[in-house]
Amino acid sequence: MLDAFLGWLGVVFVFTGVFFLFLGALGIFRLPDVFNRLQAGTKATTLGVVSTSIGVGLIAKGWILFAVALAIFLLMTNPISSHAIARASYRVGVKKYPQTDPDECEKREWKFPEGGEEK
Amino acid sequence: MRNDTPALVKRITALSLITILLIGFFLAFKEMPKGSAVNVNQRVSRLYVMKNVETATKMMENGKFFAKGIKPLRTDVPYTPITFGKSKNLEDGAANVVTSIVVDYRGFDTLGEVTVLFLAATGVAMLLFGKEKKRKNKTEPSLIMYVGTRISFAIIFLFGIYIFVHGHLTPGGGFPGGAVIASGILGLFLGKNGYKPNHLGLKVFESLSGMAFVIIGLTGLFSVHSFLANFLPTGVIGDLYSAGFIGLIYIAIGMKVGAELSAVVNSMIVDVEEEWS
Amino acid sequence: MIIYVATLIVIVVIMLALIAVFSKKLLSAIIASGFVSLGVSGLFFFLQAPDVAITEAAIGAGLSTAIFIIALKKVKKGESKDEE
């Protein structure tokens, strides 16, 4: 009973993940500029891959630990890389979609505090 | 291909190359065993280790134990399947047969390979490493990159160590483990401007690891019979403490390759004052 | 089934390799060659060589791409200027 329930729950997770991955792929084609595409290509795929891996872990028992570890690692690294790409493309001066408004990133620029960093 | 080649010739060349490669790959994959999906436990370990005794026995009865076209060397001795977690005192206790060939049977070649990598890293360091140049307007990485790379470095480092410590059990080994560690160090470089690992320390560490490799080999020479001979008990196949000295050598190789590639990354990424132009 | 997946990967890999050879931008060429390494490591796994696949993915797709990009940044001549 419980096994069958977990299996169907895993199937639901996998289909949710596949749906979000599809949305991410669609967004990369449909959205206008780099930043919007990054939004689709990283946020949607983060949720998609995490959900898919957890679903696979629920379906195939014994792999749940690997799946959770994979999900945690993806949750940690995927936003960082997308942030790095977005920041780099902003600094290089990629053209924005004209309706992007307002530009908050213009005002604030983070710096290491003086002496606040060891060594 | 030269630049003044006409575009039509280029396209025809590319098209014929694609056709030839496709035909070649189709032929290569046609010889693959039939099946719906890659089942690692059965496919890979038919060549490595029989994990499942019943499957192995059935396959031996059906004559499928050996791949198509391969005859057993001796027919008078029955071929008993090696059982994962049970078989003891094998000739070479590694569950991963590639590892036992790379480190044990052809260990001397691996020593040469590591030496080639050492020479390459030394050459890169000699050409590129020097006095650091101060660059004025370089973009500072953001706080998210700084914290995130530092956290993920721990996990990546642990994964690299896992790869080369488990080299005799799972696919992997010293070289990919070292490359993974160097990738983590590269992440640290991306996280903060002016991150400086101890270059001399890396070199010393790498030399010590290489010396450990040679010392293990010499121990085999003096205690058993030949250079890089296994002098430790092989244990039960599939255990972490098994396969004799393969684990030790892979730890040495992993640390050496990791330190070497980190030194290469360090030499590449640090801006130096140009001494010649 | 798996032969179709492998054939798809082979076609993608060949296209990426052509991009890497004929591309005018060196950065695109480097990224394409990194993806070639990734696809080739998948093919190695299909051909039952997981050791080679792991090594290819770690060194070919990960580290050497990064080192190429660093070298490109040091050379500071991003694109080949000659026509055709």
Side-chain angles (χ1 to χ4, degrees), chain B residues 208-223:
Chain B
L208 285 179
S209 317
M211 275 171 61
F213 193 164
V214 177
I215 284 170
I216 291 170
L218 285 178
T219 318
L221 175 62
F222 288 122
S223 65

Side-chain angles (χ1 to χ4, degrees), chain B:
Chain B
M1 197 168 284
R2 295 211 322 271
N3 271 335
D4 52 352
T5 321
L8 187 64
V9 179
K10 270 186 186 176
R11 279 185 197 150
I12 289 174
T13 319
L15 209 66
S16 51
L17 267 179
I18 288 177
T19 324
I20 292 170
L21 281 174
L22 267 182
I23 292 171
F25 274 105
F26 236 100
L27 289 180
F29 278 95
K30 231 182 146 191
E31 288 300 313
M32 281 195 336
K34 293 257 165 41
S36 58
V38 173
N39 187 348
V40 176
N41 280 347
Q42 285 178 8
R43 286 281 197 75
V44 176
S45 57
R46 187 175 71 188
L47 296 175
Y48 289 11
V49 167
M50 283 297 159
K51 282 188 183 174
N52 192 344
V53 193
E54 294 173 8
T55 321
T57 332
K58 261 184 205 165
M59 281 169 74
M60 283 186 69
E61 282 168 1
N62 296 338
K64 283 182 186 169
F65 185 65
F66 294 98
K68 197 172 67 181
I70 295 177
K71 299 247 169 22
L73 288 177
R74 298 176 62 182
T75 46
D76 50 339
V77 184
Y79 273 84
T80 51
I82 299 167
T83 325
F84 201 77
K86 280 180 190 165
S87 301
K88 281 183 199 170
N89 299 325
L90 301 167
E91 177 182 286
D92 181 287
N96 184 356
V97 78
V98 177
T99 305
S100 71
I101 287 173
V102 165
V103 175
D104 200 343
Y105 296 110
R106 297 284 181 271
F108 197 68
D109 297 4
T110 308
L111 186 58
E113 203 174 335
V114 168
T115 314
V116 167
L117 197 60
F118 168 71
L119 285 179
T122 315
V124 169
M126 196 184 77
L127 282 177
L128 292 177
F129 200 68
K131 231 168 76 177
E132 194 181 349
K133 191 169 68 173
K134 284 273 181 189
R135 266 180 75 178
K136 293 281 155 47
N137 40 16
K138 196 177 178 185
T139 312
E140 195 72 20
S142 65
L143 179 66
I144 300 174
M145 276 295 281
Y146 176 66
V147 178
T149 48
R150 286 197 141 200
I151 294 174
S152 61
F153 170 71
I155 297 177
I156 294 173
F157 200 81
L158 193 67
F159 183 60
I161 289 174
Y162 167 79
I163 285 181
F164 67 70
V165 167
H166 284 240
H168 55 288
L169 303 176
T170 52
F175 293 96
V180 167
I181 289 176
S183 309
I185 302 251
L186 180 69
L188 285 187
F189 274 109
L190 295 181
K192 187 177 183 302
N193 276 348
Y195 171 73
K196 261 189 284 185
N198 190 353
H199 195 262
L200 185 66
L202 280 177
K203 280 293 178 194
V204 169
F205 189 71
E206 179 224 319
S207 311
L208 285 179
S209 317
M211 275 171 61
F213 193 164
V214 177
I215 284 170
I216 291 170
L218 285 178
T219 318
L221 175 62
F222 288 122
S223 65
V224 190
H225 49 86
S226 64
F227 188 64
L228 281 168
N230 195 354
F231 56 91
L232 289 172
T234 51
V236 179
I237 190 166
D239 280 359
L240 181 57
Y241 300 104
S242 69
F245 74 139
I246 288 179
L248 292 180
I249 283 191
Y250 253 163
I251 287 171
I253 291 178
M255 293 197 297
K256 185 171 164 62
V257 172
E260 252 162 9
L261 293 180
S262 308
V264 167
V265 168
N266 186 18
S267 313
M268 293 286 293
I269 214 165
V270 169
D271 281 316
V272 288
E273 295 191 28
E274 294 194 6
E275 294 161 3
W276 61 84
S277 61

